[in-house]
Amino acid sequence: MVGTQLRISNGSSSSSSSSSSSGTEAGFIHDADVWDGNPPLADVQYNNISEHSVCKFFRVAWNQNHETMWGPYGLCDLGRPGVWLQRSLSNCYSCLDPNRNVCRQPRRLIYNQYLVRMHPVWQTNLLSMQVFLLTQDLRRARLVVWTEDPAALVTNDTAPFFDAFAEHITVKRFNYNEEVVGTPWEGDSFFGDGSIVRSHLTMPAAWADLVRLMLLHKYGHFWMDNDVVLYRDVSHLLDTCYQFVTRWTNNHVMRIEPGSQLSFRIMETALRMPFNHKNFTGEVMEKLCKPNGYITAHPKYNSSDVYNTCLFRVLLRNNNSGPPDAVLYDFPLGWWDHDWSGCFDSRKEINDTHWHKVASSTLSMHSRHPGQPEGVNELGAEDPPSPLRRVIKTVERFFAQCSSPGCLPEEAMPLLAYEGIDDATLARTRRMRALLR
């Protein structure tokens, strides 16, 4: 039996979880607790209900230690994700609750992002939000952008955008010490105090890594970093699929159900892996994470840059069974991020044929824009243009003509579909919507 010493109470109250103090030796995760051999096969306990074939596909790589593959598929396999997503559109039943017909009872889903402030070239931060408006089914998807200081996001430059599309995108103030209330972290000597947590994080992005765990636990349903460009609508997939993270070193997209047994497992396991514990580096990073390829990019980060990835590996390989909402799955990283070794660089030149294949096969681009090191071509090749340049051109062209929800599509459209929309078409759309109103 794997991980017999790692006992986590799924769906327990916050008071019971807070009782394992992050400063005590007894509650801390040690090497003997986890990863003692191959991970167990997921045991999803349904109540006499058959699991849909689309849901079963999540198990392709379940008992696989070799994380640069996902079952028989490479992390950058361009052939599989598009086919599987198309098949998932025919599934009307939720993997988490097979009794719910998603086609008849679609839910409103929250997509979450976090930003500290706008980049000096503020259009770069709007790119992900604009693509959200173009590609997602806005009848069931809403984007919430969290920040400690809303005034740092809603500036003179960006206010017209946020005001115009307020029915689909909300900027919301984030206060760690308020949001931690009611979670398993409330009252904990480390995670219960935002100022203490922040003082141990030398990498700014690591703060956002912890923020997403808390917000998904409280509100769900989907996390995407502000540099994620969605190529197609994923709202139906998110409403039907299991909870997941990506396989390999990134957590730029995550699907977690609010208040699920899994979200409790995530936060309760984190309580046993606090950054400030004297054995954190030796027991967690050196023995659990580093041997499996999760290595900090720089010693100054104190391993905070791979904390979430390591945490998810512990969850995937230990006690990962039970009711559907208690189990964690992972997706190949390249399906949600083709900017990866062996995948396709979003700044590399690409011809039309290959571009259409990439954009129609993968689910998103993790553009890392802005944020390239000094001296790196921020937008990539010009002729033929890089994927990032193609996306920017398509989006800028559309929103140069579209300044209100009235010209947005009534139903979700893939990003590639906007390449053929000209200014006259947009003008006709606006006039038709105005007449219909």
Side-chain angles (χ1 to χ4, degrees), residues 27-190:
F28 193 75
I29 286 182
H30 292 274
D31 185 40
D33 291 339
V34 293
W35 290 354
D36 183 22
N38 291 327
L41 288 171
D43 178 20
V44 180
Q45 299 165 6
Y46 281 105
N47 295 322
N48 301 317
I49 300 175
S50 298
E51 186 180 24
H52 193 281
S53 61
V54 171
C55 303
K56 289 180 180 178
F57 185 67
F58 277 74
R59 303 183 201 291
V60 166
W62 198 254
N63 199 28
Q64 184 180 41
N65 277 330
H66 183 51
E67 293 192 7
T68 58
M69 294 289 290
W70 193 77
Y73 310 110
L75 296 186
C76 302
D77 189 330
L78 288 183
R80 194 64 193 180
V83 173
W84 179 80
L85 183 60
Q86 192 65 36
R87 185 184 301 169
S88 72
L89 294 176
S90 66
N91 175 29
C92 282
Y93 296 93
S94 167
C95 298
L96 295 175
D97 180 10
N99 289 306
R100 184 170 69 89
N101 187 312
V102 174
C103 300
R104 294 178 181 175
Q105 300 171 298
R107 291 189 303 167
R108 289 283 284 177
L109 300 169
I110 299 175
Y111 295 45
N112 298 273
Q113 293 185 347
Y114 171 83
L115 273 176
V116 175
R117 65 185 67 84
M118 284 292 175
H119 189 270
V121 184
W122 50 269
Q123 294 89 340
T124 60
N125 292 123
L126 293 189
L127 181 65
S128 177
M129 305 178 203
Q130 290 170 321
V131 172
F132 164 83
L133 293 171
L134 295 183
T135 60
Q136 301 308 290
D137 186 342
L138 300 178
R139 297 166 300 180
R140 62 198 298 187
R142 181 174 188 84
L143 176 61
V144 178
V145 185
W146 297 85
T147 180
E148 278 89 358
D149 182 12
L153 301 192
V154 186
T155 65
N156 289 337
D157 292 319
T158 63
F161 172 82
F162 287 115
D163 289 344
F165 298 101
E167 64 182 278
H168 303 302
I169 299 177
T170 301
V171 176
K172 193 168 184 178
R173 184 183 299 276
F174 174 76
N175 183 303
Y176 186 101
N177 290 342
E178 291 178 0
E179 295 296 345
V180 77
V181 175
T183 75
W185 292 353
E186 181 183 2
D188 183 70
S189 60
F190 179 72

Side-chain angles (χ1 to χ4, degrees), residues 371-376:
Q372 291 300 301
E374 186 176 352
V376 174

Side-chain angles (χ1 to χ4, degrees), residues 104-390:
R104 294 178 181 175
Q105 300 171 298
R107 291 189 303 167
R108 289 283 284 177
L109 300 169
I110 299 175
Y111 295 45
N112 298 273
Q113 293 185 347
Y114 171 83
L115 273 176
V116 175
R117 65 185 67 84
M118 284 292 175
H119 189 270
V121 184
W122 50 269
Q123 294 89 340
T124 60
N125 292 123
L126 293 189
L127 181 65
S128 177
M129 305 178 203
Q130 290 170 321
V131 172
F132 164 83
L133 293 171
L134 295 183
T135 60
Q136 301 308 290
D137 186 342
L138 300 178
R139 297 166 300 180
R140 62 198 298 187
R142 181 174 188 84
L143 176 61
V144 178
V145 185
W146 297 85
T147 180
E148 278 89 358
D149 182 12
L153 301 192
V154 186
T155 65
N156 289 337
D157 292 319
T158 63
F161 172 82
F162 287 115
D163 289 344
F165 298 101
E167 64 182 278
H168 303 302
I169 299 177
T170 301
V171 176
K172 193 168 184 178
R173 184 183 299 276
F174 174 76
N175 183 303
Y176 186 101
N177 290 342
E178 291 178 0
E179 295 296 345
V180 77
V181 175
T183 75
W185 292 353
E186 181 183 2
D188 183 70
S189 60
F190 179 72
F191 287 104
D193 189 324
S195 61
I196 294 176
V197 172
R198 206 155 204 168
S199 69
H200 284 81
L201 300 177
T202 56
M203 183 182 184
W207 173 256
D209 286 347
L210 293 184
V211 165
R212 71 194 62 192
L213 301 182
M214 184 189 301
L215 292 177
L216 288 174
H217 173 77
K218 295 193 73 170
Y219 306 107
H221 301 93
F222 184 56
W223 183 276
M224 62 176 190
D225 284 352
N226 183 248
D227 53 1
V228 169
V229 172
L230 295 170
Y231 284 141
R232 59 175 74 197
D233 178 39
V234 296
S235 62
H236 186 78
L237 169 66
L238 298 176
D239 204 10
T240 57
C241 70
Y242 285 120
Q243 300 169 104
F244 68 84
V245 293
T246 56
R247 172 168 291 210
W248 202 233
T249 55
N250 215 326
N251 67 145
H252 64 302
V253 295
M254 299 168 54
R255 163 72 174 100
I256 304 294
E257 191 71 8
S260 65
Q261 294 190 48
L262 174 60
S263 72
F264 275 94
R265 284 182 58 212
I266 292 172
M267 300 195 80
E268 289 166 355
T269 303
L271 287 172
R272 298 185 62 192
M273 296 171 56
F275 293 108
N276 67 335
H277 195 283
K278 64 181 181 179
N279 292 331
F280 176 75
T281 299
E283 293 294 336
V284 175
M285 300 314 303
E286 292 297 323
K287 293 183 179 180
L288 299 182
C289 301
K290 192 173 180 179
N292 287 272
Y294 304 108
I295 304 171
T296 186
H298 195 284
K300 68 180 180 180
Y301 296 148
N302 192 30
S303 301
S304 62
D305 55 331
V306 292
Y307 180 81
N308 273 15
T309 307
C310 183
L311 171 65
F312 295 143
R313 265 52 224 166
V314 171
L315 289 157
L316 282 163
R317 294 168 180 257
N318 294 271
N319 302 335
N320 197 26
S321 61
D325 82 328
V327 180
L328 177 64
Y329 291 86
D330 61 3
F331 262 148
L333 174 63
W335 292 16
W336 295 90
D337 177 9
H338 60 64
D339 263 54
W340 202 252
S341 177
C343 299
F344 193 87
D345 186 347
S346 65
R347 286 163 179 79
K348 184 179 178 181
E349 66 277 1
I350 188 171
N351 61 41
D352 291 349
T353 301
H354 195 186
W355 159 240
H356 289 165
K357 179 180 180 181
V358 170
S360 62
S361 299
T362 52
L363 303 177
S364 67
M365 171 199 297
H366 190 195
S367 70
R368 297 163 180 83
H369 173 62
Q372 291 300 301
E374 186 176 352
V376 174
N377 187 344
E378 183 66 43
L379 302 182
E382 296 184 38
D383 189 22
S386 66
L388 181 56
R389 282 188 183 273
R390 290 173 182 268

